[in-house]
Amino acid sequence: MKIGVLKEQNDARVAIIPVFVKQLSEKNEVLVQSDAGRSAFYYDEDYEEVGAKICDRSTVLSTSDLIISIYPVEKAELALLKKNCIYISSFQPFADAEISGVLASYQLTALSLDMIPRITIAQAMDVLSSMASISGYKAVLKAAEFLPRYFPMLTTAAGSIPPSKVLILGAGVAGLQAIATAKRLGAVVEAFDTRLAAKEEVQSLGAKFVEVEGAKDEKSAGGYAVEQTEEYKEKQRALIHDKISKADVVITTAQLRGKKAPLLITKAMVEAMRPGSVIVDLAASSGGNCEVTKNKAVIIHNNVTVIGNSDLASEMHMHASQLYSKNIQNFMNVFLKDGALNLDFENPIIKSSCIVYNGEVRST
Ligand code: NAD
């Protein structure tokens, strides 16, 4: 089988790093687009050393039996792919209702990494978690960079500095990593989530859990949060308003799968913050948790810095590529044994992630 690795068009990460190519090239021919890993410091010579063939983009697209990229290629390039090839990427069918139909029209089989179920046996394949964890870490570092204050408490000859107060909204994978990182930097941390399951995790990291009673927690949502009632949202806003006016840094990570992110911070709340405070909105690409957020921009609103960025993982491209590659390796080990393909639809991982099979859209 020919396995192709594409260079990302607008991202410094690469989906597969040389250490995985070494395993793949034992039973397959591996084609890597020239300079695919260069921005993440994995060079063509490193790939060649472990058995890959360096090719131009059109060769990888048109000759691979199985092709891999982090972001899906543009629709025009889908036409270049080999008929009946397998394409692994994050197609985000929840956000793009058309994508499965488009992929099917090119006679492909599409395995969508973002559709791998969030179950224990699939944890080692979960790119969403790997990338969210990096984003949470990087969000705190970004905030520290823009904050005109120290994070830790300091006692100096010139006086004492109290620790910064950090509020984390949404304590999923990114939020928990943000809590851990802010704690390591010495801040006092509070966190809020609608899922009560998050309470224990927040507390185990040494942060205070801010609780709003009456949250709707949906077991059938596969661990994801669900939309809350208007009454709950009102209560939540009042509490966040109070907490935010005392915080130096707010990091927001709240997402609702396939929907617009919940609005948690209104313009009035930003205006109630102290001058110099910082908000990092990791939900910026799905509408933002903060009313004044501008996606992919840093703005100053009423002396508060608001950073809208959902792609912080790609700013740590070396480790992000390493984790991404390991997740894909673990995923491919499920259906690729000794170079032979076996897509078992009884397996929940394949059942959920295979959104298109040989040109047929599958219900997910
Ligand atoms: P996510 O990115 O979908 O959302 C981030 C967080 O925002 C979540 O904790 C969510 O509850 C929270 N949120 C949503 N609406 C909110 C609101 N109005 N106010 C406050 N917080 C709000 O979440 P995620 O990090 O991808 O995690 C989703 C779920 O998957 C979690 O239950 C997590 O524990 C679980 N998970 C399981 C595995 C596994 O077992 N393989 C791996 C990773 C995550």
Side-chain angles (χ1 to χ4, degrees):
M1 185 152 70
K2 279 190 182 166
I3 298 180
V5 180
L6 287 172
K7 176 174 164 52
E8 298 303 312
Q9 302 289 71
N10 295 304
D11 197 294
R13 292 169 295 173
V14 61
I16 302 291
I17 66 166
V19 69
F20 179 29
V21 170
K22 192 165 188 241
Q23 181 204 316
L24 283 177
S25 59
E26 281 166 15
K27 304 272 179 197
N28 308 279
E29 191 179 340
V30 183
L31 312 179
V32 176
Q33 184 183 339
S34 173
D35 282 342
R38 190 184 169 84
S39 338
F41 308 101
Y42 301 102
Y43 301 106
D44 286 355
E45 338 35 304
D46 303 331
Y47 285 98
E48 278 176 318
E49 216 167 275
V50 289
K53 196 168 153 198
I54 303 299
C55 304
D56 59 24
R57 187 171 180 85
S58 63
T59 306
V60 179
L61 284 165
S62 60
T63 62
S64 301
D65 303 300
L66 188 154
I67 191 156
I68 307 161
S69 63
I70 294 177
Y71 286 106
V73 300
E74 293 290 328
K75 287 175 186 158
E77 282 192 325
L78 287 175
L80 303 178
L81 295 177
K82 209 169 158 181
K83 291 266 169 305
N84 297 316
C85 82
I86 299 174
Y87 188 9
I88 301 178
S89 190
S90 283
F91 297 105
Q92 311 230 8
F94 269 109
D96 180 354
E98 313 280 297
I99 188 73
S100 299
V102 172
L103 291 162
S105 70
Y106 291 102
Q107 283 296 309
L108 308 172
T109 290
L111 298 172
S112 195
L113 294 165
D114 54 302
M115 295 301 286
I116 292 174
R118 314 299 284 277
I119 51 176
T120 311
I121 50 161
Q123 260 176 10
M125 311 158 201
D126 190 350
V127 292
L128 295 180
S129 290
S130 303
M131 297 305 111
S133 180
I134 295 178
S135 301
Y137 167 80
K138 197 75 182 168
V140 175
L141 301 190
K142 279 258 172 223
E145 187 190 332
F146 279 89
L147 189 72
R149 305 169 53 98
Y150 272 116
F151 259 50
M153 183 183 86
L154 284 183
T155 308
T156 79
S160 294
I161 307 271
S164 285
K165 290 197 176 91
V166 175
L167 176 66
I168 314 274
L169 300 178
V173 182
L176 291 174
Q177 186 57 254
I179 294 172
T181 308
K183 286 291 293 179
R184 280 187 212 117
L185 281 179
V188 171
V189 187
E190 292 188 320
F192 167 73
D193 201 296
T194 48
R195 287 181 304 110
L196 265 186
K199 181 176 178 175
E200 218 174 288
E201 292 167 326
V202 166
Q203 288 171 338
S204 73
L205 290 169
K208 188 174 165 211
F209 188 71
V210 179
E211 200 162 336
V212 179
E213 279 174 12
K216 212 164 44 157
D217 221 351
E218 189 65 71
K219 296 268 176 303
S220 61
Y224 286 100
V226 290
E227 184 101 49
Q228 300 295 323
T229 61
E230 274 315 312
E231 189 195 350
Y232 179 89
K233 285 188 201 164
E234 265 316 304
K235 271 203 274 182
Q236 181 186 359
R237 274 192 208 112
L239 190 65
I240 293 177
H241 197 127
D242 175 54
K243 295 284 175 195
I244 238 172
S245 57
K246 296 170 191 145
D248 300 295
V249 168
V250 184
I251 293 175
T252 75
T253 76
Q255 310 257 20
L256 294 169
R257 199 181 199 204
K259 293 192 182 149
K260 195 174 178 305
L263 179 66
L264 303 178
I265 306 175
T266 60
K267 195 168 158 200
M269 290 185 206
V270 180
E271 288 165 5
M273 289 180 81
R274 289 187 290 202
S277 305
V278 178
I279 297 174
V280 183
D281 191 342
L282 293 183
S285 66
S286 53
N289 294 139
C290 171
E291 195 175 356
V292 303
T293 295
K294 295 238 177 329
N295 190 25
K296 297 187 179 164
V298 179
I299 61 151
I300 300 202
H301 182 87
N302 201 38
N303 296 316
V304 173
T305 304
V306 184
I307 304 166
N309 196 332
S310 299
D311 289 325
L312 287 177
S314 63
E315 293 189 17
M316 232 171 75
H317 29 283
M318 197 180 198
H319 270 158
S321 303
Q322 183 186 323
L323 298 180
Y324 216 101
S325 178
K326 189 68 189 171
N327 287 145
I328 296 180
Q329 179 173 11
N330 292 329
F331 178 53
M332 283 174 63
N333 284 341
V334 174
F335 59 86
L336 198 62
K337 301 247 157 62
D338 294 326
L341 196 71
N342 175 21
L343 285 178
D344 171 11
F345 292 106
E346 298 293 310
N347 182 327
I349 296 166
I350 302 301
K351 191 173 166 209
S352 300
S353 62
C354 185
I355 56 170
V356 176
Y357 182 62
N358 278 341
E360 298 268 326
V361 176
R362 286 173 33 84
S363 57
T364 48

